Amino acid sequence: MKPILTTMDAGVPPVSLDTAPADKLVSAAYRTYVLVALAVVGFMCSVDKVVISMFMEPIKKEFLLSDTQLGLMTGLAFSLLGGLVSIPLARMADRGNRKWIIFLSFAVWTLMTGVSGMATSFMFLLAARIGVGVGEAGCVPATHSMLGDYYPRELRGRAYAAHFSGVYLGMLGGMLGGGILVQTVGWRAGFIGLGVFGMVLALIFHFTVREPLRVDQPPPATLGKSIWTQLGDLRCFFMLVFAFAFVGLAGAVAAWLPSYFERAFAMTPLAIGLGLGLGIGLASGIGALIGGQLTVRYAKGSRTWGARYSAWVSWGVLVPLIGSFYAPHPILAMGLLFVAFLTAGTLAGPVFGTVQDLVAPQARATAVAIIGVVGVVIGQGMGPLLVGVLSDMLHTGASNDVGGLRLSMTLVALINLFPGLFFWTLGRRIGHVYGDAPQAA
């Protein structure tokens, strides 16, 4: 038997780092297909989530909304209920059929995306966006659990990075596609078209992807234990939870970038979608792949590497990100955003590889859901709303005030100083409780 994690805290159960040889249970080609299929699901999840940021200005004009209302629609209302239902859905994923959970989630959120195009009022659209959030809630935890069974530990960082590259490329698709849609057919037809396309993809996923065997056997010490015991050292786990949440809070400024570029530089939706799609979506996707390769190379010999690396990234990304808000030309601003999101995108592999190391195999989906629900409510939920509220408070009275929006985005982005501290402390805690080497000698 291969070694298991040991801990200096008797209350923390050992967590196996070894897995059954998943590559012998399914062919490498089919495993790759499943990864691509899950990346496509993540792509559409991201598209349906971010496309509304390209529709914000025409929606604001049609329904005569304030920035606070826009922040509520794209942030808290969208994220809160979805975040809450993600935990029971994740518990189902840890025990039941994950393929069905992903399929039904996919079908629900694409349906509600189509319904968003039929909105006749702000409250109607708000309710539809809440439905999108609820639908998307079951996707990520079940996906991470499936990948954990399809891929052995030494390849998981790369697999998660590939999946997240699909999610980040969805930002490219959502922004570029949203810009094209709003400039050609309008936001209503855009939502409806995305709903129909997503439903077709959901059916393809359902009929071509199989539920994997659960190849990781839970350590005997965790059987029959509560979910809190299965999460390993709780100080480590909640450091990771809050680090991820504050990264999301600071990163929520991205939802306001289309409005910022339209107000600051009077750019067309198509130009904004192309620029931000490349500067955020493509850059993040490339960064995720780089982060996955780095994780495979360095985390193999160090359990603390992922947390320490994430700390430096959290601090370093602030320079190009905030610099883009004050760049005098849109091309320079887009270039700085590319650097910022290329760097930030490398976090996916190290962060979620660390999650898999810390928790028991039967709690993977639940762990991702807990991290996600706090990240969604604090980050995606509060972030856009906070930017909108601050923007309204700092509004100068001009019809197209950009100064208040720029300052509010700067203040929210600076929150990224805190996750760096959380990640750094997490690295020290992991080394103290689990040791740095992933395998005992």
Side-chain angles (χ1 to χ4, degrees), residues 186-222:
W187 66 271
R188 292 182 180 278
F191 273 138
I192 294 171
L194 286 171
V196 173
F197 182 61
M199 194 63 68
V200 172
L201 291 179
L203 291 171
I204 293 173
F205 175 87
H206 175 64
F207 289 111
T208 60
V209 172
R210 300 193 299 267
E211 172 73 7
L213 295 175
R214 295 184 183 270
V215 297
D216 272 345
Q217 297 303 314
T222 67

